[in-house]
Amino acid sequence: MAPTRSQTEMKKEEQENSPPDRRQLKRKHVAVEVESAQLSGDKWHPPNWQEQLKNIREMRKSKDAPVDMMGCEKISDDERIDPRVRRYHVLVSLMLSAQTKDEVTAAAMSRLKARDLSIENTIKTDETEIASLIHPVGFWKRKATFIKQTSQLLHDKFNDDIPDSVEGLCSLPGVGPKMAYLAMNVAWNKVAGIGVDTHVHRISNRLGWVKRPTKQPEGTRKALEEWLPTELWGEINKLLVGFGQQTCQPVRPKCDSCLNQSICPFGRKQTGKKAS
């Protein structure tokens, strides 16, 4: 005669033979996904980013945005001058460009260059005169102070040249990460990181090029550098700045004529297009 099984044994057998509930299946599925991702070493990439980039290049092929004609590269493209003076011009133009349109920055640089802009001459020039020359750039009084202080430091600590590192550039009054990365690229021809201004910050969030929305340009820079191939770092600032000046503007963006309207999260909302 077979021995009588206890209720505990019967309950255990029932649990072993019953199918797993949905929560158990979900946990196992997630675990497998995480494990496979870790094994493959895949990085996060935004969907459609390569097509989006291709379309932006197509829309920017004429290179006729203000940044193309009046950006720091154009302002400092005179190869006849001393390389150290040229690098100084790059830095000063970047310092002036913060919260200022390219047209206004270019005009201020023209006035400074007409007075033979150099570290030595800036040190000799009264701060009020510098302020008068750069007006009406944004925060012109504060920038005049920064330019005066920075010029003195370049003379005292950097042998009348600009620093050749991001850390050195950021140690100067009025110079932040965006300016430092752009100065490294334009002045020293070294790509140390992505220069992110308000245009690059805005467009990266609109396109979905950041894993989660970012609030500040520095956060956007770090998010972009996590996935964007390094060979594109030197190109991306000027490309997106011009795109932001002409098409993906902060107010009344031209989504209807944008080639990315159906593959851009922001553009789809603006035009009512469905994802392609």
Side-chain angles (χ1 to χ4, degrees):
M1 182 175 179
T4 303
R5 293 183 298 169
S6 66
Q7 289 184 347
T8 302
E9 290 174 328
M10 293 173 66
K11 187 175 182 179
K12 182 178 180 182
E13 182 179 344
E14 182 180 350
Q15 290 175 338
E16 290 176 347
N17 293 329
S18 63
D21 61 27
R22 291 184 178 180
R23 286 176 297 178
Q24 287 176 318
L25 288 171
K26 186 176 181 180
R27 283 196 295 269
K28 288 182 179 180
H29 179 64
V30 170
V32 170
E33 282 186 342
V34 171
E35 183 179 357
S36 63
Q38 289 173 341
L39 289 173
S40 66
D42 290 339
K43 289 184 178 180
W44 176 87
H45 288 84
N48 303 314
W49 75 271
Q50 290 172 311
E51 186 177 355
Q52 291 169 336
L53 178 63
K54 180 182 177 182
N55 287 339
I56 293 172
R57 284 173 173 160
E58 176 64 23
M59 289 182 281
R60 288 276 289 117
K61 65 182 181 181
S62 61
K63 293 182 170 62
D64 55 0
V67 69
D68 299 306
M69 298 177 284
M70 292 170 280
C72 64
E73 291 180 56
K74 197 70 175 178
I75 289 173
S76 58
D77 64 355
D78 189 350
E79 297 182 356
R80 297 171 298 175
I81 62 176
D82 184 294
R84 290 187 299 178
V85 174
R86 178 186 171 276
R87 289 191 286 268
Y88 178 64
H89 287 186
V90 171
L91 180 61
V92 172
S93 68
L94 287 169
M95 294 175 73
L96 294 175
S97 69
Q99 302 296 312
T100 305
K101 291 185 176 181
D102 287 332
E103 298 90 336
V104 179
T105 299
M109 281 296 294
S110 294
R111 291 190 293 272
L112 289 172
K113 289 163 72 174
R115 298 291 187 94
D116 196 15
L117 179 62
S118 66
I119 293 173
E120 181 183 3
N121 288 339
T122 301
I123 292 172
K124 293 177 181 178
T125 304
D126 188 78
E127 186 177 312
T128 56
E129 185 176 352
I130 296 173
S132 176
L133 289 168
I134 67 174
H135 180 271
V137 301
F139 307 104
W140 51 278
K141 288 184 178 180
R142 190 185 306 173
K143 288 177 181 177
T145 301
F146 288 154
I147 290 170
K148 185 78 172 174
Q149 293 173 342
T150 290
S151 299
Q152 190 65 57
L153 282 172
L154 296 180
H155 174 71
D156 295 341
K157 295 186 177 181
F158 296 99
N159 192 31
D160 289 316
D161 204 346
I162 73 170
D164 61 354
S165 69
V166 171
E167 293 75 17
L169 287 161
C170 285
S171 71
L172 302 171
V175 178
K178 180 209 81 170
M179 299 179 203
Y181 289 114
L182 289 176
M184 288 296 296
N185 188 11
V186 178
W188 291 106
N189 197 30
K190 296 177 182 178
V191 179
I194 301 172
V196 176
D197 68 347
T198 56
H199 290 292
V200 179
H201 171 63
R202 177 181 70 256
I203 293 167
S204 296
N205 277 271
R206 285 179 175 179
L207 287 171
W209 282 11
V210 290
K211 199 170 185 179
R212 56 187 61 86
T214 54
K215 295 182 178 180
Q216 299 295 332
E218 182 62 7
T220 302
R221 178 188 68 80
K222 293 176 181 178
L224 286 174
E225 289 180 0
E226 285 182 359
W227 68 267
L228 190 68
T230 53
E231 60 267 23
L232 299 177
W233 288 10
E235 171 193 12
I236 207 67
N237 174 270
K238 190 174 180 180
L239 185 72
L240 293 188
V241 169
F243 180 57
Q245 290 174 334
Q246 295 182 309
T247 304
C248 196
Q249 298 159 330
V251 180
R252 293 188 292 275
K254 301 174 183 177
C255 296
D256 286 329
S257 61
C258 179
L259 297 179
N260 285 326
Q261 59 178 264
S262 65
I263 53 174
C264 168
F266 179 83
R268 289 199 300 270
K269 289 180 181 178
Q270 297 296 305
T271 62
K273 297 280 186 179
K274 293 183 179 180
S276 61

